[in-house]
Amino acid sequence: MQYEDEYSTARHQDLNCEFPDGQIYTVEDISPLWAQSNLESEEIISGDLDLILPANTIVDHARGKIKLNGPPELRNRPDKGKRRKLAQVGDRTVLVVRVQAPENIQTSNTMAELADSVFGADSGFPRANDPVNLRSQYKECSYEKLRFGVAANRVRVATNYGGTDIFNGAVTVDVTSPVGDGHVNMRNDISAKLNNMFGVSSPTELADYLMYCLPPGTMRGIAYAFYDSWMSVYSDVWCTYVSAQVHEIGHNLNLGHSNENGAYNDQSGMMGLSYSRSNTPAMCFNAAKSWQLGWYEGTNQVKTISLGGTRDYVGQLSGIINYNSADVTNNLSNTNPILIKLNQNQSPDDYYITYNAKASFNSGTLEGGNQVMVVRARGEGNRPAKSELVAKLSALGSYTITGFDGTQDSATIEVSAIDISIFSATVQICIGECSSSPAPTPSPAPFQISTPTPSASPSPSPTPTFSCPPGQ
């Protein structure tokens, strides 16, 4: 589990185990550095790994902790293991959970307000009209390839546990855990109550993703989530902020942090900082995350450059708002590349390049707007690797990678021009010498797009967590 504090960029990452009933326990005395290094090397694959507990291990149900009596055995499931993750596409359901704790301490927002903040008018509640939310932003960024919908209405089979029925993608759960017992106890209490209220063996029978909106004072940070999992946890009103929603569900989709200078400060996309604002910023993901999500595959707008294949690209580079675009009205129609990967085989690091168009559903990007962005990441797009923003290039800017893929050649990204009217840059991306020079591309007439201005300074967001599935 990775857990961030709202007021610092320090991160805390734990190893967690999920049991079949949805209870998630933290394994104590595991070094965070060990956990992170094993996650990045795929020795630990979140969601694919069984943790075999040694004899006399203490499982503390009251605290949600596991105390090991010796080293555990990590065993990848035979039907999973190291493999290419599929693109994140399709219809997924979400259930937003409001919490009533003892002493009348409860999540600040009503069920209707929570559902509105996540689904907007699609929640079905009267007067729901949140314009930028979890559902709308993923729908826009993925070009409707990933669609989050409300969990099905469901009536409780047992009313003696309190709470409410599931209605329009939201539910209220009464817990016995006081806020002073902390977020680990409360999240497990919520899971147990949901199972009892609705007669299920795990909360995953109620929705694909569950957002636990904890009452104020339960946790120190602002939010966290588990990699390749179904649960995300928020501190009260942070459940309603679109950047926190998209960020934490991003961890559920197996996305790691977007870093800059070693901390998750890449503000060009949603996997960097989060912001205490309801409907802004409207932005998507950096080039490495966009590649991993797989939404833009299958067209000539996604290209790979490598030593053993195509060694260069010279021409126009556009942003994701230009994907498969036939928007003639706004002059966005083109088939330029929008994502380019500089692939290395001898090095674990690859480089991902896009033009960060500050327009449309990415109009709120807070860094590198209308610049060519270069991001370094490991993992080949298969696992939650952290990415590092290494260059933001304006016209006449360049970035060089020396000793590319263990050779004497350098890889160079050069920007000769930027045309904001069509949200494209003229680039040369080459390993060694470029084989040709860029040719100018006729530019359609410019058009006006309104770009919102951030109203507050960003605050660091809490973020993922990774869990290892059921202990045996």
Side-chain angles (χ1 to χ4, degrees):
M1 181 178 83
Q2 188 166 309
Y3 181 82
E4 282 77 33
D5 185 270
E6 176 181 355
Y7 303 108
S8 74
T9 55
R11 289 170 297 185
H12 185 69
Q13 189 153 39
D14 299 318
L15 183 66
N16 294 267
C17 279
E18 179 185 343
F19 290 88
D21 61 356
Q23 302 283 306
I24 298 178
Y25 286 26
T26 299
V27 182
E28 294 188 315
D29 302 325
I30 293 290
S31 163
L33 291 177
W34 177 90
Q36 180 64 36
S37 63
N38 279 275
L39 183 70
E40 291 186 351
S41 67
E42 290 192 307
E43 294 304 316
I44 294 175
I45 301 177
S46 184
D48 290 0
L49 185 78
D50 287 329
L51 183 69
I52 312 303
L53 303 178
N56 300 318
T57 289
I58 299 173
V59 180
D60 187 340
H61 295 281
R63 296 173 54 241
K65 305 286 186 179
I66 295 175
K67 181 72 172 179
L68 298 175
N69 183 37
E73 178 185 351
L74 304 177
R75 183 182 300 169
N76 286 320
R77 297 175 184 175
D79 59 329
K80 295 189 176 183
K82 300 181 182 180
R83 70 206 189 283
R84 174 72 168 96
K85 295 286 185 182
L86 300 177
Q88 298 286 0
V89 298
D91 293 299
R92 315 277 179 90
T93 56
V94 178
L95 177 61
V96 193
V97 182
R98 183 177 183 271
V99 181
Q100 173 76 50
E103 302 179 356
N104 200 33
I105 301 175
Q106 56 194 309
T107 307
S108 298
N109 295 93
T110 66
M111 284 172 51
E113 290 168 342
L114 291 173
D116 185 19
S117 74
V118 173
F119 307 109
D122 291 316
S123 71
F125 279 102
R127 295 182 296 278
N129 61 0
D130 191 300
V132 183
N133 51 69
L134 174 80
R135 172 179 166 81
S136 68
Q137 202 59 22
Y138 270 103
K139 182 180 177 181
E140 294 269 23
C141 294
S142 71
Y143 286 80
E144 300 192 28
K145 291 184 179 181
L146 180 58
R147 300 169 296 275
F148 288 113
V150 300
N153 291 347
R154 191 159 182 159
V155 176
R156 289 164 292 168
V157 299
T159 58
N160 55 307
Y161 295 99
T164 68
D165 299 332
I166 295 173
F167 183 66
N168 287 347
V171 67
T172 294
V173 173
D174 292 352
V175 297
T176 56
S177 300
V179 296
D181 283 357
H183 62 98
V184 175
N185 279 7
M186 188 169 288
R187 78 179 184 223
N188 285 334
D189 196 351
I190 294 168
S191 296
K193 291 297 191 301
L194 286 170
N195 290 346
N196 292 329
M197 290 164 61
F198 296 100
V200 296
S201 59
S202 169
T204 56
E205 296 180 40
L206 303 175
D208 296 312
Y209 300 97
L210 285 89
M211 301 171 62
Y212 289 2
C213 307
L214 306 188
T218 310
M219 57 187 287
R220 185 185 65 176
I222 61 177
Y224 63 88
F226 295 86
Y227 286 133
D228 202 15
S229 183
W230 53 272
M231 182 193 292
S232 55
V233 181
Y234 306 80
S235 180
D236 197 36
V237 294
W238 281 92
C239 215
T240 67
Y241 300 147
V242 64
S243 60
Q245 296 169 356
V246 174
H247 182 114
E248 303 308 334
I249 296 297
H251 291 312
N252 289 160
L253 298 174
N254 225 25
L255 298 181
H257 276 140
S258 295
N259 288 355
E260 184 177 6
N261 297 321
Y264 58 116
N265 291 329
D266 178 355
Q267 298 179 66
S268 67
M270 287 295 201
M271 297 312 296
L273 301 176
S274 290
Y275 310 85
S276 53
R277 311 168 194 165
S278 177
N279 299 313
T280 60
M283 57 183 178
C284 297
F285 301 94
N286 72 19
K289 311 308 179 191
S290 295
W291 186 284
Q292 181 179 343
L293 288 162
W295 294 331
Y296 316 113
E297 294 178 349
T299 72
N300 62 359
Q301 292 186 279
V302 177
K303 294 184 178 295
T304 299
I305 295 174
S306 65
L307 281 172
T310 301
R311 292 176 61 99
D312 61 32
Y313 171 74
V314 179
Q316 297 292 303
L317 175 68
S318 295
I320 61 168
I321 66 167
N322 298 92
Y323 169 67
N324 204 22
S325 179
D327 188 349
V328 179
T329 302
N330 287 329
N331 298 319
L332 290 177
S333 180
N334 72 55
T335 56
N336 298 333
I338 60 171
L339 281 176
I340 295 178
K341 178 184 181 183
L342 274 168
N343 189 69
Q344 299 190 106
N345 292 317
Q346 303 304 315
S347 168
D349 293 321
D350 298 311
Y351 293 81
Y352 301 83
I353 307 157
T354 192
Y355 176 76
N356 188 30
K358 189 177 176 67
S360 188
F361 49 81
N362 197 53
S363 61
T365 183
L366 295 172
E367 184 175 6
N370 298 322
Q371 290 182 292
V372 173
M373 308 293 277
V374 184
V375 173
R376 182 180 67 238
R378 299 184 174 187
E380 297 289 345
N382 297 343
R383 60 182 185 270
K386 296 175 290 186
S387 63
E388 180 73 22
L389 176 60
V390 297
K392 297 175 288 185
L393 304 179
S394 300
L396 305 182
S398 66
Y399 180 76
T400 300
I401 307 161
T402 58
F404 185 79
D405 208 5
T407 69
Q408 298 298 313
D409 287 327
S410 293
T412 304
I413 302 108
E414 296 181 351
V415 180
S416 57
I418 288 177
D419 188 341
I420 296 178
S421 71
I422 56 171
F423 297 101
S424 292
T426 305
V427 299
Q428 298 182 85
I429 304 171
C430 313
I431 302 172
E433 295 295 326
C434 285
S435 59
S436 58
S437 299
T441 299
S443 301
F447 65 97
Q448 182 67 37
I449 290 184
S450 175
T451 301
T453 300
S455 58
S457 59
S459 55
S461 124
T463 255
T465 54
F466 68 89
S467 75
C468 64
Q472 295 182 346

